[in-house]
Amino acid sequence: MVNAIAVWQAAREAGGHVLLRIEDHDRTRCKAEYETAIREDLAWLGFSPDGEVPRQSERGARYAAVLAELESRGLAYPCDCSRKDIAMVSGDVFNEEARYPGRCRHRGLAPTATPARRVVMEPGIEQFNDLALGPQSQDPSTQCGDLLIRDRHGQWTYQFCVTVDDWDQRVNLVVRGEDLLSSTGRQLRLARILGRTAPPAFLHHRLIRKPGGAKLSKSDGDTGVRELRHAGLTAAQVRAMAVSHQFGAP
Ligand SMILES: [Zn+2]
């Protein structure tokens, strides 16, 4: 949520618009009270979004159409591997990110065998110039392997939803925390596969941490801003704090 401050800052500097969307693609984790909390925090900070506010849970038909297009081009396939299968096959339980080894790519599973789908990630470097961190290069085929876009419970994944949404909303600047930096190469790759010719620019900022260095909690609808607000800070102080963390000394 503190990310919102960095977004508004960047948008004001560039004279741009700020888009809000409700990323409730994971129906098991999203609750109405989270959305209420986020909107309250935004209002408290003094921010109001521009334009419509799409919600991922209402965009299933659009995601399904994009998947159908990928399947018709032979770029997506069913995968019935469990998380455990993937960890075992890759044989590296200490790897923070389990790379999918491509087990189902040529198995020819029937579409009805599982709702899970992956998109083929061929080897290749994705380069981009992060507006805060400088030049970056990532190879999704070695990071994550073929990208999961719908899981075996039929849920669309974060990576897929945001890539389609950024395209549809014509987002040209993504401002987010550095914890998402490793996702950017695969999102750029996916966007290109989908046919987006002008990908967005990215700015990954430092995360704001609690005194002592712990990451702010997002559980139970706590958006971070709320913790600071309950600690007695004013909206102006929280905004200033976010800006100094993003642009100032560590
Ligand atoms: Zn598989």
Side-chain angles (χ1 to χ4, degrees):
M1 166 56 57
V2 173
N3 174 61
I5 298 162
V7 170
W8 257 275
Q9 169 91 6
R12 274 180 189 157
E13 283 174 4
H17 297 283
V18 176
L19 304 176
L20 177 66
R21 69 176 173 244
I22 306 301
E23 302 201 334
D24 54 353
H25 62 94
D26 185 343
R27 296 184 295 265
T28 61
R29 288 173 54 195
C30 290
K31 296 179 183 159
E33 57 262 35
Y34 294 176
E35 183 183 335
T36 306
I38 288 167
R39 290 193 177 237
E40 275 175 17
D41 287 349
L42 286 176
W44 180 77
L45 284 165
F47 298 141
S48 56
D50 299 302
E52 289 186 12
V53 180
R55 114 192 355 260
Q56 289 177 336
S57 60
E58 292 171 358
R59 286 175 45 78
R62 169 66 176 147
Y63 301 142
V66 174
L67 170 60
E69 156 88 11
L70 287 168
E71 286 180 321
S72 74
R73 293 162 61 200
L75 295 172
Y77 61 86
C79 165
D80 65 359
C81 297
S82 67
R83 227 170 249 246
K84 210 170 146 196
D85 287 335
I86 294 165
M88 282 167 65
V89 173
S90 66
D92 182 4
V93 292
F94 300 108
N95 196 338
E96 214 175 282
E97 178 175 42
R99 176 185 170 275
Y100 179 67
R103 173 173 170 261
C104 300
R105 196 195 271 195
H106 301 295
R107 281 175 71 207
L109 282 176
T112 50
T114 172
R117 296 291 184 277
R118 290 185 182 274
V119 171
V120 173
M121 293 276 125
E122 298 291 358
I125 302 284
E126 294 297 323
Q127 290 183 311
F128 59 97
N129 187 37
D130 186 277
L131 296 179
L133 303 172
Q136 306 288 318
S137 56
Q138 299 176 1
D139 184 346
S141 74
T142 62
Q143 290 177 293
C144 59
D146 291 348
L147 188 67
L148 189 70
I149 61 170
R150 192 170 65 192
D151 72 16
R152 58 209 176 97
H153 307 293
Q155 308 266 14
W156 302 103
T157 65
Y158 158 78
Q159 304 286 354
F160 184 62
C161 293
V162 299
T163 303
V164 175
D165 294 347
D166 283 348
W167 189 22
D168 287 352
Q169 287 188 282
R170 296 192 184 88
V171 170
N172 59 7
L173 173 61
V174 176
V175 179
R176 60 189 180 187
E178 63 189 1
D179 53 333
L180 285 166
L181 180 62
S182 65
S183 291
T184 303
R186 69 200 67 168
Q187 290 171 11
L188 285 168
R189 174 73 61 85
L190 183 56
R192 191 140 43 77
I193 290 172
L194 296 179
R196 183 168 185 178
T197 49
F202 286 86
L203 189 162
H204 292 89
H205 57 76
R206 280 187 215 130
L207 298 176
I208 289 195
R209 294 175 187 278
K210 290 189 214 179
K215 209 171 147 178
L216 285 170
S217 153
K218 284 184 188 165
S219 59
D220 305 320
D222 195 325
T223 58
V225 165
R226 189 148 301 210
E227 291 180 10
L228 300 170
R229 177 180 169 184
H230 287 166
L233 275 71
T234 66
Q237 284 171 323
V238 172
R239 289 197 304 265
M241 193 176 155
V243 170
S244 74
H245 271 262
Q246 189 194 338
F247 299 108

